[in-house]
Amino acid sequence: MAHTVPDLAALVRERRPCVVLTGAGISTESGIPDFRSPDGIWAKHDPMEYATINAFRRNPVKVWEFYAPRFELLTSAEPNSGHLALAELERVGLVAAVVTQNIDGLHQRAGSHEVLEVHGSIRSASCLECRERVPLEEVRAALRAAPAPLCPRCGAVLKPDVVMFGELLPADAIDRAIELVRGAGLLLVVGSSLEVHPVAGLPDEAASAGVAVAILNRGPTPFDHLASVRLDRAAGETLAELAQALA
């Protein structure tokens, strides 16, 4: 049986509080290209050249030349109706937290307060040598003057505070995500193909704790069999409809 937005609304009401896991599919509607789809960034650029910690250590300027225009795109993008709907559902007490794989900060800009960024964020960059942290606006200003931003304290090239290939996800963030999911009534997955671990294991964590799972994603995921409600639709319009149905 094909599920509908009213089915999802009924599940959210029944199994509140809801924790939401978001991936690239919610931000593509804000004009941010994803990385992993057949038409994504890694289909055109070798991630081993630009997105590993070893590549950064080997040639940080080359990595920044790749990331700089994408930083501008990320910072100019605006939250879409999906981000705004999740913020509204948090405001009325139906969403307890958003766990996001995205680095764009759009959930916070839309008004969500409880946001856990498990893959890091573009909102700052840090020095691998002295641990100085620099906010985004200073990084952008540095990039307008030079190919790569330098640490104001020691002069080393700053690294964006996003998790690169070859780096472990912050253990405290993953532990907190598991804690949030296991304490929820419902895990709602939005715009994630659930292929990147350890975050992809959150539906299993939910199911083992008796937490219901719902999945809203374009295309199948490996965890569709766990979903009480499964919608293959665009995130923005669907979440807007959900918020309206729950108003």
Side-chain angles (χ1 to χ4, degrees), residues 5-15 242 246:
V5 172
D7 294 329
L8 180 56
L11 188 63
V12 171
R13 284 196 193 95
E14 176 190 347
R15 299 301 298 262
L242 175 64
L246 291 166

Side-chain angles (χ1 to χ4, degrees), residues 66-141:
F66 171 78
Y67 271 108
R70 289 165 178 82
F71 262 52
E72 287 302 313
L73 174 61
L74 289 169
T75 53
S76 64
E78 293 294 332
N80 61 55
S81 55
H83 298 104
L84 296 170
L86 291 179
E88 174 61 16
L89 291 175
E90 180 190 29
R91 189 187 69 79
V92 299
L94 292 171
V95 166
V98 174
V99 178
T100 186
Q101 297 171 280
N102 299 331
I103 62 171
D104 49 45
L106 291 179
H107 286 298
Q108 293 93 327
R109 289 172 56 197
S112 291
H113 296 286
E114 296 299 324
V115 181
L116 182 63
E117 297 169 310
V118 291
H119 286 173
S121 171
I122 66 162
R123 289 180 294 151
S124 61
S126 294
C127 178
L128 298 180
E129 303 299 325
C130 72
R131 301 301 175 186
E132 180 80 358
R133 178 167 287 181
V134 177
L136 176 62
E137 283 309 309
E138 292 181 28
V139 173
R140 293 179 70 194

